[in-house]
Amino acid sequence: MANIENRIAIVTGASRGIGAAIAGRLAREGYAVVVNYASNAKAAEELVDRIESAGGKALAAQADVSDAAAVGRLFDTTEAAFGGVDVLVNNAGVMTLATIADGDEAFVDGQIAINLKGSINCARLRTGGRIINLSSSVVGLYQPAYGVYAATKAGIEAMTHVLSKELRGRNITVNAVAPGPTATALFLDGKPQAVIDNLTRLAPLERLGQPEDLDNTVAFLAGPDGAWINGQVLRANGGII
Ligand code: NAP
């Protein structure tokens, strides 16, 4: 594997939230970073500006990860700008809450397309790299209304284990990071304060995760210290489960 200074990382869904923290962190560590986004070009460009002002290398690239052709263009753009991809962080995700009985077809298809198919679409790397998939600790919490979202993330975890074995001989590790409740729009938007307070107290560390808690974990798995971790799910969640 090349030195970090020569390594290229794509972070999907990096315009905001956990993905933006991961992209910023990897750029500070010396990776050239592709800041992928779906629609929020302004936030992605602002992050790229901040990275470049600090002396890093970055590029904003729009692609809906659920669209395989768009993902193909994302990789082509990355390769043209920086060379092949060494680190892929499959972070783009959406969460919609409804009971399994109440969710309509769009609710099911949308989450499967972005969370699950999106990660599959992106799974292509040159030899000697790291794939890090964002799961969620809801996979083990079994909360009502999280069924479809949790199912997409359980699929991600299963795929993480399988892909780590399928890539035998290519020196690519595949791991998942499963955050608990983290203070981003995905978690906070639309929730009554009492629900947020309740979920904040659930972990024995009695606080919400912050995006920076997760960028530490991803940087570890992407970097030299994570080289021997393969096919694992790391629950970075303050002990909630
Ligand atoms: P967030 O703040 O809502 O940000 C979501 C990001 O994903 C945005 O950059 C968004 O881009 C991008 N995105 C959404 N749909 C996309 C698509 N089809 N193609 C490409 N990008 C897309 O979410 P977050 O909380 O940071 O979550 C990041 C990951 O962590 C997700 O996989 C989520 O499931 C997982 N996670 C989060 C929590 C939590 O409590 N926050 C807990 C466990 C796991 P635009 O800005 O362009 O819309």
Side-chain angles (χ1 to χ4, degrees):
M1 198 155 54
N3 294 329
I4 283 180
E5 297 80 58
N6 302 320
R7 296 182 71 202
I8 319 303
I10 294 180
V11 184
T12 67
S15 44
R16 313 182 263 123
I18 295 169
I22 294 169
R25 171 65 180 262
L26 295 182
R28 287 196 298 282
E29 296 208 350
Y31 298 82
V33 176
V34 174
V35 175
N36 161 253
Y37 63 96
S39 58
N40 204 334
K42 186 165 179 284
E45 294 290 356
E46 285 170 0
L47 175 57
V48 167
D49 287 348
R50 287 199 298 279
I51 290 172
E52 288 179 339
S53 305
K57 273 199 236 169
L59 171 77
Q62 194 282 335
D64 177 345
V65 293
S66 68
D67 175 347
V71 169
R73 291 193 291 277
L74 171 68
F75 276 76
D76 291 346
T77 304
T78 304
E79 281 159 23
F82 296 134
V85 180
D86 301 295
V87 174
L88 167 69
V89 185
N90 272 319
N91 167 81
V94 292
M95 180 176 79
T96 316
L97 301 183
T99 62
I100 291 166
D102 288 340
D104 61 14
E105 205 179 347
F107 157 86
V108 177
D109 288 350
Q111 293 185 88
I112 290 176
I114 296 173
N115 297 358
L116 189 55
K117 193 179 135 207
S119 299
I120 297 169
N121 285 343
C122 291
R124 68 179 222 209
L125 240 64
R126 64 183 171 192
T127 293
R130 308 281 166 83
I131 296 176
I132 299 149
N133 297 319
L134 268 288
S135 176
S136 168
S137 293
V138 299
V139 163
L141 285 168
Y142 306 126
Q143 298 147 296
Y146 286 78
V148 171
Y149 176 72
T152 66
K153 296 300 190 179
I156 294 275
E157 293 192 5
M159 194 180 67
T160 297
H161 299 299
V162 172
L163 193 57
S164 69
K165 293 188 166 65
E166 288 179 351
L167 292 175
R168 173 182 289 273
R170 291 186 52 199
N171 193 24
I172 297 175
T173 67
V174 189
N175 293 292
V177 172
T182 306
T184 69
L186 179 138
F187 170 74
L188 295 169
D189 283 4
K191 283 198 181 71
Q193 192 57 46
V195 173
I196 294 171
D197 291 346
N198 221 6
L199 289 166
T200 301
R201 282 191 297 269
L202 222 52
L205 295 186
E206 293 189 313
R207 67 170 176 82
L208 288 181
Q210 297 298 323
E212 294 67 32
D213 292 313
L214 286 319
D215 77 49
N216 289 335
T217 312
V218 170
F220 162 65
L221 290 172
D225 291 343
W228 193 233
I229 316 281
N230 191 19
Q232 306 300 316
V233 178
L234 196 40
R235 284 184 174 164
N237 62 18
I240 200 168
I241 185 147

